[in-house]
Amino acid sequence: MTSIEQYGQFETSWCPGCGNFPLLESLKKALMRLDLPPHRVMVSSGIGQAAKAPHYMHCHMFNGLHGRSLPVAQGMKMANPEMTVICQSGDGCVYGEGGNHFLAAIRRNMDITLLVHDNQIYGLTKGQASPTTQRGHVTKTQPGGAPSEAFNPVAVAVAMKAGFVARAFTGEPEHLTEMIVQAVSHPGFSLVDIFQPCVSFNKVNTFGWYKEHCRIIEDHDPTDWASAMALADEFGERIPLGVLYRGERPVLATSMPLARHRYGADALVAVLESYA
Amino acid sequence: MPDTSINIVIGGGAGQGLATVGQLMARAATRAGYHLLVNQDYMSRIRGGHNFFSIRMGAEPVMAIAEGIDVLVALDGRTIDEQSAQLNAGAIVIAGDTIDTAGLNALRVPFKELAPKPLFHNVAALGVLGAAVCGEVSILEDLLRQTFAKKGEAVVQANIEVVRKAHDWVGEQAFDFSCIAPPPEHPGKRLMLDGNEAIALGALAAGCNFVSFYPMTPATTVPITLIAKGAPLGLVHDQAEDEIAAINMAIGASYAGARALVATSGGGFALMTEGVSLAGVSETPLVVVVAQRPGPATGMATRTEQADLNLVLYSGHGEFPRAVFAPGTVEQCFYLTHRAFDLAEQYQTPMFVLTDQFLADSYRTVAPFDLGGLPEIAQPLLEAPSPYARYALTDDGVSPRMVPGFSEVLVRADSHEHDEHGRITEDAANRVRQNVKRLDKGNGLMQDVIGPEYYGPDESDEGADLVLLCWGSSLGACLEAAQTLNAKGLVRTTVLHFSQVYPLREEQFMDFLESAGQVVAVEGNATAQFARLVARETGFVVTGSVLRFDGRPLSPRYILKGLESIV
């Protein structure tokens, strides 16, 4: 049985009160509930405070480039389909710099889980608008208010019929843990977009703001695409939390760990023969 | 006496099937025992335009392209307009009887009569060409049988009938053309393949089992070959959404135990360069194939150039070791790609194979590669004793690389500066230690450098009047140019060819350069990038150069003409 202690405790570089703390705790609890020991989990992350998360737990990790956590994660999964692969990134990392990879990963539908630490702001570079910052939100670099419409990741994912689409909030840690458990258990690409307040730079979407607006949904059938689409589109007075959509699509899978895969000499001879 | 080599050019619009005729003819020539060298010249379009496929076929080995044409197969009228000025004395033109060949020594083929449907016209052209160069029809028949086997017996028979009819038709014609000399003796079993195919096969021989790519001419046939030949053996492949995804995916796969390759061209490689740094700092083995074409930006997308040496040399930010290979022949494409994998595994850093459109698309006849003689490739560890440090400091800078998932030991890789355990840290002393550790791997790489090859007229390498300094695909053209000069007996010319262009070890070639009367750089770019690299690394300044950057490959004639004003 996996215990949460196996995942360790580390000193972090996060601000006191940061939403990343409860998020990391929920992830560890979810992995414990899934009975996944650290050596069966590979975590890929990008750049940003969220992307440092795998440094703060025991697991295999590849902390790569800004926006590129999904290609790395998919490469990992293709090379060793027997491992659980989790991708951790912030909203700027995965929806901004990595936007094309986000769309492609949904289409590809590999069995990986994407956890987005979504605080609707660039934290590490000190407070610029991110793709999920609401239009009109004033920042130092957008003094007239963010000029672009906010990206709605869950609506896009549902529209593309991603395998598993959920929204969660670190202020509802039990629910968040449950969402991660379900996401990792889902065979295919899973997205959990997680509101994780930035206490230093987002003075609009604060812990209190999320607490006031987020509601755990009840009586929703996540296999009903039309009602999932309607829920995913809600972002205002009420923001629905929970599994918005779950679909069944063919999963792109490979057969065996490539580290053990070798070609036979006869096979290579036959390949060369074909050029005679 | 018939010539020992002839140059066949098949021209037409894109989509007319000239590459099919060319490939079948080249393979038939290979099986008949001839040596060959193919150049493919094509435009960046799907239909129409003017493309050509030239086969230089020799009873003796051929090394370079030739400008003069002995047999011109014109699949359209434009080919006559574009190519007839290149016809050698005694050349023959093969064209449909609807094409105007006035004034030329032509074999005018009644395609409508020989082939039931336009679909078969290129097979008819193959039959006529085969007969005109005195080939045996049975070789063509066997080839067609193999080519169309999958489409069923009826298709095979229809094609064979057309080729036989076309071949027989030539026998009934009176025309003036002397056959190529037969090969002195059959050189035994040979393979016919192009540079990119050889790169892909070298990768497979090295155990490459993962390729991610975004299609880009002229690199795409590397993944196409890997998929066609490797996927049935278990190679995993993915067409990524862009080049950035392709290289990051390959790095992720390599981290998790795959033996990974990415292939692209200049523009795609420019996008990959942040990933190159990632492979460098995370110490992840990776082989990157860069098939050069003229830039900047989109340049001339289907033509050739050797102008991305600097891009590859300086790609990525920060400092980390690398090696860059530049094959000059199809054989070197195979063996150097294999070596690139070996070094990538040994030194856990990105390795580069730098080719170009000319070599990528150039079919050659080669002796079967020596699979048994290839060195074993280094392996990562699947199990290691705990405690384990991914980036442990070692004397040679090489740390124990483990693949995650095969034991309880955890493997951490990081793009940030990290400690020995892969944990992010900004500690100044650690930064220095890790940076030095990574660069220390360069000492090993330096010991493994493949020196340049000397191709001189006699045993003594040193003291040549003229040295042609070249790298990559220009080898053949330089060799023939040198041969011509040496035959004239006026200047003793040697070729110095680098198949590994970085790093360089002075002691492997400096005495030679310094003892030469004159050193001329021969390169497919406008600024003599390699000569400048030699100057940067050794202080030896090359003063003369023959440079080609019109999108066409270097040829012996081009080099000789360029030398006129220098020597």
Side-chain angles (χ1 to χ4, degrees), chain A residues 13-19 49 119 121-124 126-127 140 196-207:
Chain A
S13 61
W14 293 332
C15 310
C18 175
Q49 291 293 43
N119 55 21
I121 203 82
Y122 283 110
L124 193 53
K126 306 194 175 179
K140 267 190 194 165
Q196 160 264 330
C198 175
V199 292
S200 295
F201 293 105
N202 193 334
K203 305 299 184 194
V204 177
N205 311 104
T206 59
F207 186 86

Side-chain angles (χ1 to χ4, degrees), chain B residues 265-481:
Chain B
S265 299
F269 183 66
L271 291 177
M272 287 186 176
T273 55
E274 193 190 21
V276 170
S277 290
L278 177 61
V281 72
S282 66
E283 305 195 41
T284 309
L286 179 68
V287 172
V288 184
V289 178
V290 181
Q292 299 167 99
R293 69 189 213 189
T298 318
M300 295 160 91
T302 61
R303 308 216 169 263
T304 200
E305 200 162 84
Q306 294 183 293
D308 291 337
L309 172 61
N310 286 339
L311 174 68
V312 169
L313 210 51
Y314 303 110
S315 61
H317 47 282
E319 298 163 302
F320 51 92
R322 73 187 72 193
V324 184
F325 297 100
T329 63
V330 163
E331 287 93 336
Q332 287 181 354
C333 285
F334 179 87
Y335 292 107
L336 292 176
T337 305
H338 183 276
R339 185 168 179 79
F341 273 95
D342 193 19
L343 294 183
E345 285 287 345
Q346 271 188 55
Y347 295 103
Q348 306 169 18
T349 195
M351 294 291 154
F352 301 89
V353 178
L354 192 52
T355 181
D356 53 43
Q357 182 268 327
F358 166 58
L359 184 56
D361 290 328
S362 181
Y363 291 96
R364 317 265 172 109
T365 40
V366 299
F369 303 125
D370 178 16
L371 291 173
L374 295 171
E376 278 288 322
I377 299 226
Q379 305 272 358
L381 305 168
L382 297 185
E383 308 225 3
S386 196
Y388 166 72
R390 170 67 190 91
Y391 301 113
L393 300 171
T394 60
D395 290 342
D396 58 4
V398 178
S399 309
R401 185 169 86 93
M402 274 194 68
V403 177
F406 294 89
S407 72
E408 294 194 6
V409 172
L410 298 177
V411 185
R412 293 182 201 89
D414 199 359
S415 68
H416 299 89
E417 192 52 88
H418 43 253
D419 65 15
E420 288 182 88
H421 298 278
R423 298 272 184 207
I424 183 172
T425 172
E426 297 190 21
D427 179 85
N430 173 77
R431 160 67 179 179
V432 172
R433 282 195 301 272
Q434 283 292 324
N435 210 8
V436 167
K437 181 198 99 68
R438 288 189 292 270
L439 291 172
D440 276 348
K441 297 188 290 182
N443 300 332
L445 267 180
M446 192 56 116
Q447 296 314 306
D448 282 338
V449 168
I450 298 175
E453 289 242 31
Y454 310 97
Y455 300 87
D458 54 46
E459 293 297 304
S460 162
D461 286 328
E462 292 182 16
D465 300 326
L466 173 65
V467 172
L468 302 180
L469 175 71
C470 64
W471 60 283
S473 73
S474 310
L475 172 64
C478 287
L479 288 178
E480 279 207 9

Side-chain angles (χ1 to χ4, degrees), chain B residues 72-87:
Chain B
L72 177 64
V73 181
L75 298 180
D76 61 5
R78 184 168 168 190
T79 297
I80 305 277
D81 302 337
E82 300 264 355
Q83 301 289 348
S84 53
Q86 307 294 326
L87 291 171

Side-chain angles (χ1 to χ4, degrees), chain A residues 78 252 254, chain B residues 209-213 223 226-227 231 235-239:
Chain A
M78 282 188 274
L252 186 67
T254 50
Chain B
N209 53 21
F210 186 92
V211 62
S212 45
F213 68 100
L226 278 172
I227 293 164
L235 173 133
V236 173
H237 54 93
D238 191 61
Q239 181 175 318

Side-chain angles (χ1 to χ4, degrees), chain B residues 16-34:
Chain B
Q16 279 195 293
L18 62 94
T20 309
V21 179
Q23 283 166 6
L24 288 169
M25 183 60 217
R27 200 168 290 284
T30 305
R31 290 188 181 183
Y34 288 101

Side-chain angles (χ1 to χ4, degrees), chain B residues 188-272:
Chain B
K189 183 174 220 149
R190 277 113 29 91
L191 311 177
M192 183 193 106
L193 68 174
D194 68 31
N196 274 2
E197 287 172 332
I199 285 173
L201 299 188
L204 282 180
C208 170
N209 53 21
F210 186 92
V211 62
S212 45
F213 68 100
Y214 185 83
M216 187 169 185
T217 306
T220 314
T221 47
V222 173
I224 285 177
T225 308
L226 278 172
I227 293 164
K229 304 296 179 184
L233 310 180
L235 173 133
V236 173
H237 54 93
D238 191 61
Q239 181 175 318
E241 55 273 26
D242 55 35
E243 287 87 348
I244 298 171
I247 191 167
N248 280 279
M249 211 174 247
I251 290 169
S254 178
Y255 162 79
R259 197 160 282 171
L261 175 145
V262 292
T264 187
S265 299
F269 183 66
L271 291 177
M272 287 186 176

Side-chain angles (χ1 to χ4, degrees), chain A residues 33-53:
Chain A
R33 273 179 45 193
L34 288 159
D35 196 19
L36 280 168
H39 71 276
R40 300 303 306 157
V41 180
M42 293 196 284
V43 182
S44 155
S45 67
I47 294 299
Q49 291 293 43
K52 287 178 185 165

Side-chain angles (χ1 to χ4, degrees), chain B residues 306 326 328 452-453 455 467-479 494-501 513 519-524 530-531 534 542 546 554 559:
Chain B
Q306 294 183 293
E453 289 242 31
Y455 300 87
V467 172
L468 302 180
L469 175 71
C470 64
W471 60 283
S473 73
S474 310
L475 172 64
C478 287
L479 288 178
T494 300
V495 175
L496 184 61
H497 176 261
F498 286 76
S499 62
Q500 179 166 358
V501 289
L513 286 183
V519 179
V520 173
V522 182
E523 302 189 38
F530 182 66
V534 170
V542 179
V546 175
L554 279 155
I559 295 169

